[in-house]
Amino acid sequence: MPGTGRLTSDRHLLGIEPLTREEILRILGRARELRSQDGAVERSLAGRSVVTLFYEASTRTRASFELAAQKLGASIVSLASSSSSVSKGESVWDTGRTLAAMEPTVIVCRHKSAGAPHLLASAVESVSDTKVINAGDGAHEHPTQALLDALTLLDRLDTLEGRTIAIIGDIAHSRVARSNLFLLKKLGATVLLGGPRSLVPDQLTTMGGVIVRDVDTIIEVADAVMMLRVQFERLVGPPPFPSLSDYTRTYGLTVDRANRMKPAAFVMHPGPMNRGIEIDPEVADGPTSVVAHQVRNGIAARMAVLERATGMGPWAGRRAQ
Ligand code: CP
């Protein structure tokens, strides 16, 4: 495949894995500042343009990137694969070169294949100075979800050093889990992973998580519990568990389980939720849930990431890391 090697710009955001702890903290700090400015936010992307290029469905990520770009004063072009020349078979490489020739400042890309945003960034770099932000690639990474999750965790916990964060569910197919694992470890948390072997294979320990098969044990020690949906669209082969009701009984965050969390512990979910499967509706909408807060934080986190890509805010005159 052409040009998938080393990128020359450090302002693309393709994953959490390559970011330093300091850079993550800089993004989170800037997101907090932008959030506190609310309606008075400086239009630091005025005269710039952002293309959202989504090859996979999205509600939260796409809407919040577009709102974030709008708040910063950028103009926005939205492209979905169904209504673009992707539907005529145009490749990621050619799409990247074509869009880059129009010199947008940033392209935000979601794709069902791991590595597609990296390929897009290579294509773009062969034409212009446009930067690429990964909005979720297959089961690989979803960096801005991990950043908004960290912002939400730190709103409640002040620090992640010495904290225990649980991630429960379909971790094998989850880009959210991978990006969160990278980020939470860099910020000093212990990450407990729960779920069946088919969805939480033993090999995941190589990423620094601690697998605990008994979800009831995890629930009682975690400072925050992040539930993940089963990604039925990515499953191949035999069903990963005997039945949905077996899954809910063994791994779901039921009202009964949620009642056994530590007193100050809280519940997160990146969405979309499968209510009644991995999480009871009463828990999803209950007082320990911070799901709506996560969604709100998505705008501030993505504003900061857009500024980083364009070299604005704290990145003016400074290299990204
Ligand atoms: N969490 C998340 O990525 O949601 P969307 O698929 O709706 O963007």
Side-chain angles (χ1 to χ4, degrees), residues 54 57-62 110 135 142 145 175-176 270-272 302:
F54 277 60
S58 166
T59 297
R60 283 147 282 264
T61 311
R62 183 170 179 167
R110 169 171 288 190
H142 192 348
Q145 179 69 45
R175 54 197 176 208
V176 174
R302 288 170 177 131

Side-chain angles (χ1 to χ4, degrees), residues 9-264:
S9 173
D10 53 13
R11 292 207 189 283
H12 305 291
L13 178 64
L14 303 177
I16 295 293
E17 189 176 16
L19 296 185
T20 62
R21 172 191 164 89
E22 290 66 36
E23 185 72 336
I24 290 167
L25 292 174
R26 186 171 299 124
I27 296 170
L28 297 176
R30 182 57 178 162
R32 268 185 224 103
E33 277 175 12
L34 290 163
R35 186 176 62 182
S36 69
Q37 290 167 7
D38 197 24
V41 70
E42 188 195 341
R43 293 165 69 81
S44 57
L45 267 66
R48 312 292 181 99
S49 52
V50 174
V51 175
T52 55
L53 175 64
F54 277 60
Y55 291 81
E56 236 191 12
S58 166
T59 297
R60 283 147 282 264
T61 311
R62 183 170 179 167
S64 60
F65 259 117
E66 293 185 2
L67 286 168
Q70 215 171 69
K71 280 175 186 275
L72 293 173
S75 54
I76 301 147
V77 173
S78 304
L79 283 178
S81 50
S82 58
S83 56
S84 68
S85 288
V86 169
S87 64
K88 301 174 198 162
E90 190 163 41
S91 66
V92 168
W93 180 261
D94 283 335
T95 303
R97 283 181 58 87
T98 301
L99 291 174
M102 300 178 212
E103 300 186 347
T105 317
V106 178
I107 301 174
V108 178
C109 176
R110 169 171 288 190
H111 201 285
K112 65 179 185 305
S113 297
H118 195 285
L119 173 61
L120 186 77
S122 297
V124 159
E125 279 199 352
S126 69
V127 176
S128 76
D129 196 32
T130 300
K131 300 296 178 275
V132 173
I133 297 175
N134 179 2
D137 61 327
H140 176 226
E141 281 232 38
H142 192 348
T144 56
Q145 179 69 45
L147 289 163
L148 75 87
D149 287 339
L151 193 58
T152 307
L153 285 161
L154 289 167
D155 284 342
R156 292 269 181 134
L157 299 175
D158 296 325
T159 177
L160 293 177
E161 289 289 348
R163 302 293 193 173
T164 300
I165 311 300
I167 306 180
I168 299 172
D170 181 2
I171 294 168
H173 302 102
S174 175
R175 54 197 176 208
V176 174
R178 282 177 60 86
S179 288
N180 264 297
L181 254 166
F182 290 132
L183 189 151
L184 294 169
K185 295 300 296 175
K186 285 176 199 263
L187 296 197
T190 298
V191 185
L192 302 184
L193 306 174
R197 276 192 168 72
S198 54
L199 301 179
V200 187
D202 289 334
Q203 298 89 303
L204 281 173
T205 50
T206 57
M207 292 181 63
V210 179
I211 296 176
V212 181
R213 297 282 169 207
D214 178 17
V215 164
D216 291 301
T217 302
I218 300 183
I219 294 290
E220 288 169 11
V221 299
D223 295 299
V225 178
M226 191 182 297
M227 299 305 297
L228 300 179
R229 79 185 169 93
V230 178
Q231 305 209 17
F232 292 104
E233 73 276 21
R234 297 192 209 285
L235 297 181
V236 286
F241 39 79
S243 71
L244 287 177
S245 58
D246 285 317
Y247 182 83
T248 303
R249 190 176 311 110
T250 317
Y251 303 107
L253 190 56
T254 57
V255 171
D256 180 48
R257 279 206 178 96
N259 285 339
R260 283 185 269 125
M261 295 194 310
K262 284 164 59 170

